[in-house]
Amino acid sequence: MTIRTGTGTHARMEDSVLSQLSDDSLLEYIADLSQSQSQLDAADYTREQYFREKSARQQQQDRALQEENKQNGVPQIFGGCAVYINGYTKPGRLQLHETLVRHGGKFIHYLSSKRKATHIVATNMPLKKRKEFANYKVVTPEWIVESVKAGKLLPWQSFAHAWDDKQPKIAVTNCNDPNFLNNFFQNSRLHHLSNWKSNLRQNVLQLNDSFRVPKKKDSLTVFHIDFDCFFASVAALDFPNLDIDSDPIVVCHGTHNSDISSCNYAARKYGIKNGMWVSDAKGFLPQGVTLNCLPYNFEKIEAKSAEFYSILRKNDFIKFDEILPISIDESICVKISQSSETPNLRDICQNLRNEIYKSTNCTVSIGCSDTLIMSRLNLKRAKPKSSFILFHKDVDDTFLSNVKLSDIPGVGSSTISKINALNNQEPILENVLQLKKVINANKSFIGSMTATVGNKLTKKILLSLDGKDDDESLKMIYEPINFFERKSLSIDINWGIRFNSIHEVDAFIDICTKYLVEKLNELKKKTSQINLKLLKRAPNAPIEPEKYLGCGKCDSMNRNSKLGIPSNEFGFLTTEIKHNYRCVSCPPNELRGISIQFIKLVDVPSTKDDISKRFINFETFQNLPNDVKPGFVNELKKRKIQIKEPKVNKYQESFLNEIPTQLRNEIKKDLIINEKIKNSEIDRIYAKQVQRQNSLMNSKNHLLGNSNESIFESIKFQNETSFKKICSKIIAWVDFTVKDNGPHPKDLELFENYLDKLSDSNRVPLILRISKLISNELNLKSLKYSNENGFQIWEQQLIKTIIPKLMKNKHTFQTVRKLDLEFDL
DNA sequence: CGAGGCGCCCAG
DNA sequence: CATCGCTGGGCGCCTCG
């Protein structure tokens, strides 16, 4: 349909008004008019053009209103802002429109590509719209209301919706996407918790100067400070319409089988708990009550936490001797008691709580006492929005009756059910006082507890009944440096893991290893042991579990490598891990979770030590991360420190010159190690080979292709025995043909086919091993046979055929497994 | 009997 | 639409030398 309108329908501004427009407004007006005119010139109008024209007309009205207000001295705080209002808002559209225009803003009636809005105001928005507006500044209506109240333009970020990221949020849920890990971590609360925690612990180690570590004889006041339902409180700040005290609020990603990471106390009133699935939580609510599911706002959480810790470090009420991080939202603060003064703990707690609320808009609770365990139990008692102080000598039955078993640190669901089982489930122990009574009534109960839940934990529970600490817990206070030092480094991905091929698994292992190695380098550590833990779909579990992309019910399987020489080299480590994957029987499509652990971390020796020796070993230098090598080369030259080049013999030299540089260095390094091993074992190896040679004397020269059952046919993936057998045959073959006329062409052809198969199935490390075996073998024979035809054929074969196959799949092959050479075939 | 591997458990 | 089930450490049992 087309709408025809005559000319002159536009409400033109009076000339007198025109002269009062600012330059910008004038130009805009001219542009508007010009556009309308060009539409008029067209013969027909589309519906869209009609609306555009209508919009232009409305804008002229807006401009008139704006000028009027400007003349009356209304501050034009929204100058330069072009705002589009999406959907239903509170306050309503009309009101926002008027407020905006009066204060100098431009109201966008109609959102087209030609008229870009600078801001979009919305109270709520479906996901589809969110994606559409991902590149806009999407704010709540409060941005307008509050800015007018403040008399100035407030930063839109303060009113940004939680979903409004700088970069558009594109869901990456395919684990083969190179960005999957990044995206997953960005959205994983558990990853954030772990990551924040280790960062905080790292900070403690660096800031330890500002601490005053107590002595055992000191008497202490311990403050356990913790935000109330932190994630939920922070999330609610983005939704001013919600009341954190009365509306049930949870923080989660989804709507059904999504974990609730945090729920406020209004939600807990109905029995909702952290960790529940949303669908279950909804079932707890009576009819008519809705659950407010809010998105995570990790950035804001970090910001609030920083303010929190900053107040703990510096405030007007107390100077703590230790500020020990428990997590992003929780800290244990220790004050060494001075006999000269008796601080008013109640006031200190109250003041701290007020100060933190003033700064963060979130409430904390505080438990305070003279022992760790009591400060923790008091914290539980204080929650929410309160503080509680009770010293350990004042613990009585009334207090214990308010302490749940799960309140004791180290006691979780498994321990509780074990204890209840010991008590024959009758009655289920509701609180710690009941446990105490059971123990008092039955002297043998302690013995059975020790046998069931362990010695240490039993003692810890008994101590906590008296409000006293066990030694293990006190380490945090008395030996903080030791306590907070990192002893291992790992990555666990048990969500979204769905692979089809070993190549995909390899690529993912690369990404995980890269992540770990980066952290390793930040820590200036190397690892001396790698553990690979896999989750494999349990045989009876469905292919797709209830939870979207979850791991479901799984069996776990492990394999570890002790490295001999600690390493921080990406290539070496990733190859090792890929090798380990091949050693456990988990087909890629059954894989549901991957965990890689670097344990037994050791310090990277500082360069100072090397400099004092005026030279460094080639190996040492090679172990440096590649990106720092060039810098070090210059630095070393300046200081006239030499890199000890490894000795290579003539044969090795020519072999090495044929291969690309990166690879050459790796192999060179490898040769050094080989040399060492060889020197000690060379006699034994020679003896073995003579023996083997003798046993083969009766075979024909044509060794491999003389029957239908070539040895290469029998290779089964992950069947190591078989690979070893093949290696041993190859060695014998080389050994037997290195003199005289060399290997039979048909054998070579079969051999090459086999290598291609390995290459195609991404088993490059195996090719590497074979090539090293051959290289080694030739090396051993070079003195005796280097002029023989056979030797030279083999040498050609190695350099022209085998090495290129290695390079074909370079991405899986960065370096070699150094110490895994098997001379004992 | 100590060292170390493995697996469970727990916390945020 | 879903959904983002991490990660470091303690403890106890077992095995090995």
Side-chain angles (χ1 to χ4, degrees), chain A residues 84-150:
Chain A
Y84 178 74
I85 295 184
N86 182 72
Y88 168 82
T89 54
K90 197 182 170 189
R93 187 185 174 82
L94 279 179
Q95 202 186 329
L96 288 174
H97 177 173
E98 194 184 321
T99 310
L100 182 79
V101 169
R102 279 181 190 281
H103 292 82
K106 183 170 173 185
F107 181 88
I108 304 282
H109 296 266
Y110 161 81
L111 197 66
S112 77
S113 56
K114 280 185 183 167
R115 308 188 159 274
K116 278 266 164 66
T118 59
H119 297 73
I120 290 175
V121 168
T123 302
N124 211 342
M125 210 184 259
L127 191 70
K128 204 177 163 188
K129 279 272 181 186
R130 281 186 220 172
K131 280 181 183 163
E132 188 183 324
F133 294 151
N135 288 319
Y136 288 92
K137 299 165 182 164
V138 184
V139 293
T140 61
E142 279 70 23
W143 176 65
I144 293 178
V145 177
E146 295 298 319
S147 290
V148 168
K149 260 193 220 165

Side-chain angles (χ1 to χ4, degrees), chain A residues 497-512:
Chain A
I497 298 297
R498 299 289 186 278
F499 293 115
N500 291 314
S501 75
I502 186 102
H503 312 273
E504 294 173 357
V505 177
D506 280 348
F508 193 73
I509 288 176
D510 277 343
I511 290 171
C512 292

Side-chain angles (χ1 to χ4, degrees), chain A residues 292-304:
Chain A
N292 299 283
C293 297
L294 307 191
Y296 294 81
N297 188 341
F298 293 117
E299 277 175 26
K300 202 171 267 189
I301 285 171
E302 281 181 32
K304 299 292 172 189

Side-chain angles (χ1 to χ4, degrees), chain A residues 584-599:
Chain A
V584 293
S585 60
C586 179
N589 63 346
E590 299 285 288
L591 193 61
R592 292 292 180 271
I594 296 180
S595 156
I596 299 167
Q597 300 164 333
F598 290 174
I599 54 180

